[in-house]
Amino acid sequence: ARVEKRGEGRGARGEDVPHYPLSTTHYPLFSVRTPTALVTDLGTEFGVEVDESGASAAHVFRGDVEVRVVAAEGKEGQTIRLRENESVRIETSPSGLGRTVLRGAADPTSFSSVRPGQLAQVARQRRLAPLRRWQAFSEELRKRDDLVAYYDFQRDGDNCALLPNRAATGRRFDGQVQGGDWVQGRFSGTSALRFGMPGSGVRLNIPVEFRQLTLAVWVNLDSLPTHTEFTSGLLMSDGWHENDQSQNCTGRIHWQIHYDGKMLFTRDNWKDDAISLPVFDNAEVCGHWRCLAVVCVCDPEASHVAFYLDGEHVGAADMPAAVHPTMAAKFGPVTIGAWNTAQAGGSQRWVHGAIDEMMIFRSALDAEEIHRMYESTKP
């Protein structure tokens, strides 16, 4: 509490103030009553702590206070005058009847988070805590041997057209920004890319095959596709086996959000679709950062896919490899946030919204790892 002195019996504007029944003087002062003490302000800044046993402590940071011991039966007893930088602690004696009075120096650190003038600093520290947590996770993530590509969506200086790969695999997997707008990321002071126009996205070329694959992304959608044939492309390889026989599209992956809010993971062609439970709803889709993840294990007998939303499992599917029993997953030329429309037969597959952070692993992360990843990166 921080209380200024006023005229006796008068409020801030000179009006009469009713007598406060717990006050110990004939004029009304601000008082704090605890099970063991009555702490009365005399024009000061002070703090009061009370623990579960009822023991209380008063600390004076400026001015004076009066502390009156309250006996077990509720009667007021000894009065103690505290001045600046002094404190007193009043405890119940082992018998449960008497009081023990311990004087000492004031401890401002106990009240550092609530004292006037420091609330703004504490609020800033609390706002920055998630950012610091994510930054620490990001630094450790980059050291992983199974991390093929990592895009934190932080700009590389003034180069607005470059999306750097932060994994140890280096600059060969850097992305080229095409038509996206740099916007506020999911943390204060960070950035993201907003897409939504035909041709917008980030172009990559990752000529790697995967027997095990984990993809994770943070996305903030403005809306879902409005037509039953449309999807939002999160990470889409060029080409399509049925429509383009001139390319070797075997195993190329397409990770999308379906018009009905489900996640869709396709390898090679429609015969290998895997679909999650609904994870988005148009009524609630706007303005929320969500963490999506998909895990794919390519097996000669049957490939398996698992889907995650905000660290929680939201569906799984077997993908019988009827056409290519030993087919691995691969990318090649690929786009974040859209599909190469020249290879897509005119289909509209771009994301309406922002993307902030994408990870590509050559391993199958388990449910515990994905949940830990979400907790370490959530805004």
Side-chain angles (χ1 to χ4, degrees):
R2 191 181 202 176
V3 185
E4 303 296 335
K5 280 189 175 181
R6 302 297 184 191
E8 292 189 5
R10 298 286 172 179
R13 295 181 296 275
E15 72 276 17
D16 290 334
V17 178
H19 175 68
Y20 182 54
L22 293 182
S23 179
T24 58
T25 58
H26 67 280
Y27 57 90
L29 298 174
F30 179 78
S31 299
V32 178
R33 180 138 196 165
T34 79
T36 54
L38 179 67
V39 183
T40 302
D41 170 79
L42 301 178
T44 183
E45 182 184 347
F46 70 102
V48 178
E49 295 178 295
V50 186
D51 64 24
E52 293 180 357
S53 71
S56 56
H59 304 255
V60 179
F61 310 120
R62 182 172 61 88
D64 299 347
V65 301
E66 179 185 274
V67 180
R68 180 162 296 187
V69 178
V70 176
E73 59 274 14
K75 296 180 180 179
E76 298 175 2
Q78 177 186 358
T79 299
I80 302 161
R81 180 82 171 233
L82 292 181
R83 291 176 170 81
E84 191 168 324
N85 297 324
E86 293 181 343
S87 73
V88 65
R89 179 176 172 83
I90 301 171
E91 302 175 346
T92 302
S93 61
S95 66
L97 299 176
R99 302 289 191 226
T100 301
V101 177
L102 304 171
R103 301 193 64 151
D107 180 12
T109 61
S110 297
F111 298 87
S112 61
S113 63
V114 294
R115 290 183 65 195
Q118 298 187 10
L119 288 175
Q121 179 181 351
V122 172
R124 182 174 182 273
Q125 291 173 345
R126 289 180 177 176
R127 286 197 304 270
L128 289 176
L131 172 62
R132 300 286 184 256
R133 167 176 35 79
W134 168 70
Q135 289 173 330
F137 173 84
S138 179
E139 289 298 321
E140 289 300 314
L141 177 68
R142 301 174 195 199
K143 302 174 185 177
R144 292 185 59 144
D145 294 335
D146 61 343
L147 187 66
V148 173
Y150 172 45
Y151 306 100
D152 62 2
F153 281 73
Q154 302 312 297
R155 290 172 56 175
D156 189 19
D158 295 329
N159 191 348
C160 298
L162 179 68
L163 182 65
N165 170 36
R166 307 294 188 185
T169 49
R171 307 305 296 264
R172 62 194 177 108
F173 293 156
D174 282 356
Q176 295 298 316
V177 179
Q178 298 181 342
D181 295 321
W182 290 98
V183 296
Q184 168 71 47
R186 67 187 191 279
F187 298 103
S188 176
T190 65
S191 57
L193 275 170
R194 181 175 296 280
F195 307 110
M197 296 298 293
S200 62
V202 178
R203 291 289 291 165
L204 315 168
N205 189 8
I206 305 179
V208 180
E209 290 192 352
F210 301 82
R211 292 292 175 180
Q212 295 184 342
L213 171 67
T214 299
L215 305 173
V217 66
W218 277 94
V219 61
N220 186 345
L221 294 183
D222 295 329
S223 63
L224 290 171
T226 57
H227 193 282
T228 57
E229 295 181 358
F230 295 162
T231 59
S232 296
L234 296 172
L235 190 64
M236 304 280 285
S237 294
D238 289 359
W240 186 246
H241 181 73
E242 287 192 332
N243 297 338
D244 190 356
Q245 300 294 334
S246 64
Q247 295 193 40
N248 179 17
C249 300
T250 303
R252 297 242 179 124
I253 68 96
H254 300 84
W255 186 27
Q256 309 166 69
I257 299 172
H258 214 229
Y259 70 92
D260 57 5
K262 299 175 181 177
M263 268 187 283
L264 175 67
F265 183 83
T266 305
R267 188 186 57 172
D268 183 52
N269 60 38
W270 63 272
K271 295 178 181 178
D272 281 339
D273 280 359
I275 301 178
S276 75
L277 299 173
V279 294
F280 286 104
D281 185 313
N282 256 324
E284 300 177 355
V285 74
C286 299
H288 301 287
W289 284 105
R290 311 303 296 271
C291 182
L292 307 180
V294 60
V295 179
C296 178
V297 176
C298 301
D299 186 272
E301 299 298 327
S303 298
H304 182 76
V305 176
F307 297 96
Y308 295 85
L309 170 68
D310 294 343
E312 301 297 330
H313 185 266
V314 290
D318 291 327
M319 295 174 62
V323 181
H324 304 284
T326 60
M327 182 172 60
K330 66 180 181 182
F331 293 109
V334 63
T335 305
I336 297 176
W339 198 11
N340 183 347
T341 54
Q343 304 290 344
S347 296
Q348 299 181 29
R349 303 291 174 91
W350 59 85
V351 165
H352 288 269
I355 292 180
D356 177 5
E357 196 168 31
M358 177 170 283
M359 311 169 203
I360 303 174
F361 299 86
R362 60 162 57 92
S363 62
L365 273 60
D366 60 27
E368 182 178 346
E369 288 180 293
I370 291 195
H371 182 75
R372 184 166 60 249
M373 178 181 65
Y374 165 72
E375 290 293 334
S376 299
T377 61
K378 66 182 181 181

